[in-house]
């Protein structure tokens, strides 16, 4: 071919900065240590760095407007004026304070809030949930039946012009109107947000006209819901939307972007839309290539997502070239783009920052920056032939072959244990009702027992001590003494305020997955491979590269120390196998369920050892169970079967007297309630405060028999809810559940909060429980 390279596209780049510059700037701004001008300047520098990096790596379709201060769905809500009345927006420019109030809530004290707090109590944040089946969180937009949409900001245009001024021609990215409304929540819930499409479309039309006027020739419109099960009405919404957008800005070409799964039965609807290009995810759904290639129009650009935007393994360049070469030959290079499967937001920025990784493992990996290089290699190889990129292809092939044959990957002992799993290992000795009676006699608790989810604030002192120990400037003995001091103080304080079931605070833990992975075989960890979870909350997911086992006990010693300090029960705290799996970068050479069973056996060993040490309550968090749910309903049961089996495998090796707790985050439970019941945990705690206990409807309708701790305190916001607010939430919970079922706890762990927020909030929570019990002389009846 005459062209030097096919077009290459990254779809989106991590926002956070190589050294987490955005996190530190955001947190400095929120605390009042820097002005908004400095935050804005930091963001501008990061955008410029990322555009230039992609340009230097040969990316020809460089995205703009993929940057966000907090979340791109929130950005879209603000851009179209979907701002609930509670935030007091006057219809004019949207200030950063209001934007962050929607993201984080506001205390109503005049700083870093929207300035429109109700009754002086502040306003809550929007609900937050997982972005499809990833570990990224987005803010759930709220729309009203009388919603008026308007273009409040020209951020996509501004960022396009910002890049243009640097000499970089970008392809702006926007979240599509159908996906936006599909993800939105109706307030009140008496209508469907998608009914508002005709009101929303004029805003997108105006935006497209302004992008065209600014000089944009393409716009990337993300419509990931095309990978979901859709109704005919929802498919028709796409036809309505894209016919209107095509007329609004005829000179602006649309790259309709789908990802996270196959188009499948939505293919015909997508292929019929009047868009100039269609992107498909071939990392998640490689089987769809031939069908999509046959369905698209002859002159339509086909963007092929062949480099995995969600995992960190090196791409098999030779195999990809084999697969794509015939298609490129048949369609012509002008009508094919080589792309990442989705935004690179979900992977770390640069492998070269990792100087301490095992060299073999490092040679098997590819982070966002390296994926840019892979895309460039593929684009050149498809245009000029393999000889033009021979070295890169051979290097990738050699690394992949070395990984496949490495003894670091396979452990025969683990394989033997997996083969020995039987039905008796996956069930408790007796049913819940029998266990409940035994546990009530063994563990004396009042009605509405209070507890927390596990972690307490990781203060600056805690982080400094951990960092100093890691650097070798704080001895093991001194670090251990510091952790014991923090743990003892936490135990004493919990006793003082009257919590019924205590936790040790997890001061020794860096992360609820990393802490365990560091003590399990088959895991590797990075120094700088941060990935955004939400806002300024970043995680370093472990890399599962081999068979998993537990060489030694992981938590028993700290539990024993904590329990020795109090006469009250202290929960043993573990992370469950499904969550460890879903919050890690997982092997792609064996099925996910095989790795999950390996992790389950390792956690089972820990559960049994905790019981032997005397623990009467053991919490096994499965915060991420639902996020692993496949996007298509037809695939759900297979996943739920092995996910539930893995939880039961790790939790069923104990006696009836031992109470097993679990915790789940951000889950719509209605559609998986039978699977949750099948987990057979004695107590489950869930996030419910932002949904005003609506999530409990699923448990009521199912007549869920076990005990439940519905969160009464939103830990993702700096707000301190008062006793009345918590009591009101608990009254809503009592309408749905029996009193004997209810526990009282926050929504999630308190690691990310400050003690000055946590202390009054938990004091209020304990007081709310006392009021429900009538211990203050005024029992509150269920309403």
């Amino acid at each position: 071919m005459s062209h030097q390279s096919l077009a290459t596209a990254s779809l989106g780049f991590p926002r956070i900065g190589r050294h987490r510059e955005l996190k530190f700037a955001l947190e400095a701004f929120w605390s009042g240590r820097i002005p908004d001008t400095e935050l804005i300047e930091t963001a501008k520098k990061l955008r410029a760095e990322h555009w230039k990096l992609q340009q230097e790596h040969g990316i020809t379709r460089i995205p703009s407007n993929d940057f966000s201060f907090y979340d791109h769905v929130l950005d879209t809500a603000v851009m179209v004026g979907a701002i609930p009345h509670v935030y007091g927006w006057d219809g004019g420019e949207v200030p950063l304070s209001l934007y962050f109030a929607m993201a984080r809530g506001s205390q109503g004290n005049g700083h870093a809030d929207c300035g429109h707090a109700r009754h002086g109590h502040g306003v809550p944040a929007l609900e937050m949930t997982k972005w499809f089946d990833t570990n990224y969180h987005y803010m759930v937009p709220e729309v009203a039946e009388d919603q008026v949409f308007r273009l409040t900001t020209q951020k996509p245009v501004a960022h396009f012009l910002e890049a243009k001024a640097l000499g970089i021609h970008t392809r702006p990215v926007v979240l599509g109107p159908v996906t936006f409304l599909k993800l939105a929540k109706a307030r009140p819930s008496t209508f469907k947000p998608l009914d508002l499409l005709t009101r929303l479309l004029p805003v997108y039309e105006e935006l497209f006209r302004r992008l065209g006027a600014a000089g944009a020739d393409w716009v990337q419109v993300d419509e990931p819901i095309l990978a979901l099960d859709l109704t005919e009405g929802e498919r028709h919404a796409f036809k309505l939307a894209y016919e209107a957008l095509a007329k609004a800005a005829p000179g602006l070409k649309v790259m309709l972007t789908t990802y996270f799964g196959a188009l499948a039965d939505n293919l015909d609807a997508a292929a019929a839309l009047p868009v100039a290009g269609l992107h498909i995810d071939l990392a998640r759904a490689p089987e769809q290539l031939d069908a999509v290639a046959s369905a698209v129009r002859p002159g339509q650009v086909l963007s092929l997502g062949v480099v995995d935007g969600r995992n960190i393994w090196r791409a098999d360049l030779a195999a990809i070239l084999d697969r794509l070469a015939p298609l490129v030959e048949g369609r012509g290079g002008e009508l094919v783009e080589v792309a990442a499967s989705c935004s690179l937001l979900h992977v770390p920025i640069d492998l070269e920052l990792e100087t301490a990784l095992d060299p073999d493992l490092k040679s098997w990996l590819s982070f966002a920056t390296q994926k840019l290089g892979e895309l460039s290699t593929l684009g050149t190889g498809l245009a000029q032939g393999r000889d033009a990129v021979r070295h890169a292809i051979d290097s990738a092939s050699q690394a992949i072959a070395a990984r496949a044959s490495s003894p670091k990957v396979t452990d025969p002992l683990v394989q033997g244990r997996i083969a020995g799993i039987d039905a008796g290992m996956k069930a408790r000795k007796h049913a819940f009702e029998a266990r409940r009676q035994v546990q009530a006699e063994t563990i004396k608790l009042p009605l509405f027992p209070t507890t927390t989810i596990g972690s307490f604030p990781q203060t600056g002192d805690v982080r400094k001590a951990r960092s100093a120990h890691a650097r070798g400037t704080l001895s093991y003995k001194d670090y251990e003494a510091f952790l014991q001091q923090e743990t003892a103080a936490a135990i004493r304080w919990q006793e003082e305020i009257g919590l019924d079931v205590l936790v040790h605070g997890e001061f020794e833990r860096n992360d609820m997955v990393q802490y365990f992975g560091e003590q399990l075989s088959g895991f590797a960890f990075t120094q700088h491979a941060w990935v955004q979870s939400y806002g300024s909350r970043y995680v370093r997911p472990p890399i599962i590269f081999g068979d998993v086992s537990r060489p030694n006990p992981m938590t028993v010693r700290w539990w024993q120390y904590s329990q020795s300090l109090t006469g009250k029960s202290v929960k043993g705290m573990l992370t469950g196998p499904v969550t460890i799996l879903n919050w890690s970068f997982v092997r792609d050479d064996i099925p996910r369920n095989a790795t999950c069973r390996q992790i389950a056996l390792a956690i089972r060993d820990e559960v049994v050892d905790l019981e032997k040490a005397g623990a009467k309550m053991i919490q096994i968090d499965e915060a991420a169970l639902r996020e692993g749910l496949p996007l298509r309903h037809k695939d759900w049961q297979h996943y739920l079967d092995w996910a539930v089996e893995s939880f039961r495998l790790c939790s069923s090796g104990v006696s009836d007297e031992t109470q097993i707790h679990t915790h789940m985050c951000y889950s719509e439970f209605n559609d998986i309630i039978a699977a949750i019941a099948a987990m057979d945990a004695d107590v489950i705690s869930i996030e419910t405060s932002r949904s005003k206990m609506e999530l409990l409807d699923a448990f009521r309708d199912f007549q869920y028999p076990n005990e439940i701790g519905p969160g009464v305190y939103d830990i993702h916001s700096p707000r301190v809810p008062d006793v009345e607010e918590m009591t009101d939430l608990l009254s809503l919970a009592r309408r749905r559940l029996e009193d004997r079922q209810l526990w009282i706890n926050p929504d999630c762990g308190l690691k990310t909060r400050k003690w000055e927020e946590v202390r009054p909030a938990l004091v209020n929570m304990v007081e709310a429980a006392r009021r429900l019990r009538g211990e203050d002389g005024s029992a509150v009846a269920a309403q």
Side-chain angles (χ1 to χ4, degrees):
M1 297 180 187
S2 57
H3 49 287
Q4 293 185 333
S5 175
L6 262 69
T8 53
S10 68
L11 304 192
F13 198 77
R15 311 152 179 164
I16 63 180
R18 283 168 58 87
H19 303 289
R20 293 182 288 163
E21 294 91 336
L22 181 59
K23 172 187 177 68
F24 300 127
L26 280 170
E27 293 175 354
F29 171 68
W30 292 334
S31 66
R33 290 182 282 118
I34 65 170
D36 59 355
T37 51
E38 188 170 336
L39 173 64
I40 291 166
E41 185 59 29
T42 297
K44 186 175 181 180
K45 287 179 180 177
L46 287 173
R47 289 193 293 271
E49 286 178 13
H50 299 160
W51 288 326
K52 290 175 182 176
L53 178 69
Q54 292 172 84
Q55 184 182 57
E56 291 165 359
H57 279 76
I59 302 302
T60 57
R61 299 286 187 262
I62 299 172
S64 59
N65 195 46
D66 54 332
F67 178 88
S68 174
F69 278 122
Y70 204 93
D71 163 51
H72 61 280
V73 183
L74 175 62
D75 290 1
T76 306
V78 169
M79 181 184 75
V80 303
I83 301 173
H85 295 304
V86 69
Y87 297 101
W89 180 51
D90 60 11
E93 183 179 350
V94 180
L96 272 178
S97 57
L98 191 153
Y99 173 88
F100 286 127
M102 293 174 71
R104 307 175 68 236
S106 70
Q107 192 63 38
N109 55 11
H111 70 274
D113 65 31
C114 62
H116 297 276
R118 294 173 299 174
H119 313 302
H121 294 302
V123 292
L126 292 174
E127 285 185 44
M128 183 191 295
T129 195
K130 296 297 178 70
W131 176 245
F132 294 81
D133 57 352
T134 75
N135 191 33
Y136 176 81
H137 301 64
Y138 73 93
M139 309 305 299
V140 180
E142 288 185 13
V143 291
E145 197 162 9
D146 61 351
Q147 185 73 49
V148 176
F149 295 107
R150 67 188 74 177
L151 189 64
T152 70
T153 172
Q154 295 191 53
K155 174 175 170 275
V157 179
H159 286 192
F160 172 80
L161 293 173
E162 192 177 299
K164 188 176 180 180
L166 297 171
I168 301 174
H169 186 80
T170 61
R171 184 171 70 184
V173 181
V174 295
L175 181 64
V178 186
T179 291
F180 174 76
L181 289 175
K182 178 72 172 173
L183 298 179
K185 186 165 189 173
R187 292 283 193 188
S189 58
T190 53
F191 71 100
K192 294 180 179 179
L194 204 53
D195 294 342
L196 305 176
L197 181 61
T198 54
R199 293 190 212 168
L200 177 62
L201 285 175
V203 177
Y204 275 82
E205 293 169 18
E206 181 182 355
L207 173 64
F208 277 31
R209 285 192 290 268
R210 294 191 182 195
L211 284 171
D217 52 355
W218 281 89
V219 59
Q220 175 185 317
V221 186
D222 288 359
E223 293 280 14
I225 67 162
L226 281 165
L228 304 181
D229 296 312
L230 300 180
T231 65
E232 284 303 318
E234 289 165 341
R235 293 190 188 107
H236 179 72
F238 277 99
K239 183 175 185 293
L240 176 69
Y242 285 88
E243 286 179 351
L245 293 176
K247 295 173 184 175
L252 185 64
K253 299 175 184 177
V254 170
M255 174 58 73
L256 182 67
T257 309
T258 70
Y259 40 80
F260 300 153
L263 282 165
D265 54 351
N266 298 323
L267 173 56
D268 290 343
L273 297 176
V275 294
L278 178 65
H279 171 84
I280 56 174
D281 184 339
L282 294 176
R284 270 298 183 89
E287 73 284 352
Q288 67 176 323
L289 176 58
D290 293 340
V292 175
S294 298
V296 296
R297 297 188 303 276
Q300 201 168 29
V301 175
L302 189 54
S303 172
L304 307 174
V306 290
V307 170
D308 194 345
R310 289 184 54 176
N311 212 335
I312 42 68
W313 302 107
R314 201 162 175 174
D316 189 340
L317 300 177
I320 294 171
L321 288 170
D322 286 343
R323 185 78 198 277
L324 300 191
L327 178 66
V328 172
E329 190 66 32
R331 288 183 62 83
E334 296 79 10
L335 295 178
V336 178
E337 292 183 4
V338 182
S341 61
C342 60
S343 171
L344 298 176
L345 168 73
H346 308 286
V347 294
I349 289 183
D350 191 358
L351 182 62
E352 292 309 310
L353 295 172
E354 303 302 326
T355 57
L357 272 181
D358 174 86
D360 289 340
L361 175 60
K362 187 173 180 179
S363 73
W364 305 338
L365 304 179
S366 177
F367 292 176
T369 301
Q370 288 68 44
K371 290 177 187 293
L372 300 177
E374 290 176 334
L375 289 169
S376 181
T377 296
L378 291 168
T380 302
L382 287 166
Q384 300 182 30
R386 293 182 182 231
D387 287 344
V389 287
R390 176 62 60 188
H391 177 73
I393 295 171
D394 290 347
S395 176
S397 297
Q398 289 163 11
I400 290 165
R403 178 186 168 204
S405 62
S406 174
K408 298 175 182 178
V409 171
T410 305
D411 183 342
L413 294 177
V414 174
Q415 299 293 325
R417 256 195 109 181
I418 291 292
I421 295 173
D422 60 35
M425 296 174 67
K426 295 179 284 190
R428 298 289 295 272
K429 292 180 176 63
H430 295 96
F432 168 73
E433 191 57 35
R435 301 198 308 267
R436 185 181 71 83
Q437 295 176 19
V438 173
Q439 291 165 12
E441 295 168 2
T442 306
I443 311 167
K444 305 294 186 183
L445 292 174
L447 197 62
F448 310 118
T450 55
T451 189
T452 65
I453 304 304
S455 60
F456 278 138
Q458 295 264 323
T459 63
D461 288 343
V462 171
R463 293 193 299 271
K464 286 176 186 175
R466 182 181 299 124
S467 178
H469 177 58
R471 291 194 311 268
T473 56
L474 182 66
S475 71
Y476 174 82
K477 180 180 179 181
D478 290 341
Y479 182 51
E480 189 88 347
F482 170 81
L483 292 174
Q484 288 183 348
Q485 176 183 317
E486 292 291 310
T487 302
I491 294 289
R492 284 196 304 272
W493 181 74
Q494 291 173 85
E495 286 186 317
E496 288 169 6
I497 68 169
L499 280 166
D500 299 307
V501 175
L502 313 188
V503 298
H504 77 289
E506 303 179 14
F507 302 107
E508 80 284 4
R509 304 185 188 184
N510 41 22
D511 176 84
M512 65 181 291
V513 172
Q514 182 176 344
Y515 177 78
F516 292 96
E518 285 177 340
Q519 301 179 78
L520 296 170
S521 63
F523 281 74
F525 290 85
T526 61
Q527 295 173 306
H528 306 285
W530 297 98
V531 177
Q532 185 180 25
S533 179
Y534 64 88
S536 68
R537 171 72 169 146
Y538 305 161
V539 294
R540 283 181 299 167
I543 298 168
I544 306 178
F545 67 89
D547 287 341
V548 177
S549 62
R550 185 201 71 149
N552 298 293
M554 302 179 286
T555 66
V556 174
R557 185 170 60 88
W558 277 110
W559 177 84
Q560 288 175 316
Y561 172 72
S562 306
Q563 187 63 77
S564 73
L565 302 172
T566 178
K568 292 188 172 184
S569 289
V570 178
K571 288 189 287 188
M573 299 300 306
L574 306 173
T575 303
V578 182
T579 296
I580 291 176
L581 181 88
N582 285 334
W583 287 359
S584 299
F585 290 122
V586 183
R587 295 170 65 176
D588 59 356
D589 58 336
I590 63 173
R592 291 171 63 86
N593 58 10
T595 298
C596 198
R597 288 187 183 94
Q598 293 178 4
I599 302 170
L601 286 176
I603 300 300
R604 179 186 180 93
D605 293 343
E606 189 72 13
V607 171
V608 169
D609 281 350
L610 279 167
E611 185 185 55
K612 288 178 181 176
K616 301 196 182 310
M617 297 181 180
I618 302 171
Q619 182 170 311
I620 309 169
D621 289 341
E622 284 295 17
L625 185 135
R626 196 186 195 284
E627 78 181 44
L629 202 64
L631 299 182
R632 296 285 186 159
H633 284 79
K634 67 180 177 62
D635 302 319
W636 281 19
Q637 197 58 53
H638 174 65
Y639 166 77
L640 290 171
D641 285 347
W642 63 255
V644 169
E645 177 192 288
S646 295
F647 180 83
R648 292 177 67 125
L649 182 60
C650 76
S651 63
S652 296
V654 294
S655 67
D656 288 346
E657 287 81 1
T658 299
Q659 189 174 71
I660 296 293
H661 291 233
T662 191
H663 172 70
M664 301 177 74
C665 294
Y666 305 112
S667 292
E668 294 291 343
F669 293 114
N670 303 61
D671 43 15
I672 62 166
I673 188 67
I676 293 171
M679 292 170 68
D680 199 26
D682 297 303
V683 183
I684 179 174
S685 55
I686 57 175
E687 176 275 322
T688 51
S689 67
R690 288 193 184 187
S691 70
K692 304 296 187 286
M693 298 290 166
E694 289 176 5
L695 290 177
L696 289 180
D697 291 344
F699 292 87
R700 176 196 60 198
D701 297 343
F702 184 79
Q703 296 184 324
Y704 185 81
N706 301 21
E707 297 177 14
I708 307 176
V712 296
Y713 158 34
D714 175 17
I715 68 90
H716 295 93
S717 169
R719 291 182 68 244
V720 176
D722 57 27
V723 177
E724 288 72 20
E725 182 175 332
M726 293 187 188
T727 305
D728 288 346
L729 284 173
L730 287 165
S731 295
L732 293 173
R734 296 176 76 191
R735 295 178 191 175
R736 295 164 166 90
L737 299 171
E738 296 179 25
D739 285 357
R740 69 164 185 82
Q741 290 181 279
L742 283 172
W743 285 63
I744 300 178
N745 46 255
D747 272 347
C748 200
L750 301 167
K751 172 184 175 181
T752 60
R753 298 266 55 91
K754 298 177 180 177
W755 274 113
E756 52 264 38
E757 301 159 357
V758 166
R759 287 192 178 98
L762 291 185
V763 167
N764 291 347
M765 188 185 82
V766 171
E767 177 59 24
R770 291 183 64 244
R771 291 189 184 183
L772 259 65
R773 297 173 193 145
E775 292 176 4
D776 64 345
S778 58
V780 179
Q783 299 176 9

